[in-house]
Amino acid sequence: MNIRNNEKNLQFEYEENGEIARLEYRFYKKNIAMMHTVVPEALQGKGIASALAAEAFAFAKESKKKVMVYCPFVAKYIKKHPELRDQLDKEFHPNL
């Protein structure tokens, strides 16, 4: 799956047939905050949101940034991938 980091718009993107799925992020202090995931209806059910989250966590790790999660989808994704908990900002997510 070809996901790109659109640094200008601060989002990871996947495009198919003119539809764009995205995971929006922001930089906050020393962290990266995962804000919102949007997958158009035509692209749903293909694992795109999970692929976007995986790419975002890989980017955070490569950038040596801790993650803050605001997005409900990313919160569910972490529950399915507990190995990613080490990347979370423990001050922001003391219970995860």
Side-chain angles (χ1 to χ4, degrees):
M1 192 171 293
N2 187 18
I3 294 173
R4 71 182 183 118
N5 182 0
N6 181 335
E7 294 183 45
K8 180 181 176 193
N9 292 333
L10 297 176
Q11 60 190 25
F12 293 93
E13 301 173 336
Y14 172 77
E15 184 174 359
E16 185 178 305
N17 298 324
E19 299 276 357
I20 297 176
R22 68 187 187 278
L23 189 158
E24 300 167 1
Y25 65 90
R26 301 289 176 266
F27 293 109
Y28 181 72
K29 296 184 181 179
K30 62 186 181 297
N31 296 332
I32 184 169
M34 297 186 191
M35 305 300 292
H36 189 57
T37 303
V38 177
V39 178
E41 193 172 332
L43 299 179
Q44 291 179 3
K46 299 180 177 186
I48 294 169
S50 292
L52 290 167
E55 188 69 26
F57 271 93
F59 173 77
K61 187 173 190 174
E62 189 176 289
S63 302
K64 296 180 174 50
K65 294 194 176 294
K66 290 293 185 181
V67 175
M68 299 169 73
V69 178
Y70 291 92
C71 173
F73 175 81
V74 174
K76 288 181 205 169
Y77 182 81
I78 292 167
K79 288 181 181 172
K80 292 180 182 176
H81 299 275
E83 70 277 8
L84 298 175
R85 289 184 182 148
D86 289 345
Q87 288 185 249
L88 298 176
D89 180 329
K90 299 297 186 230
E91 290 180 28
F92 188 73
H93 296 290
N95 299 322
L96 287 179

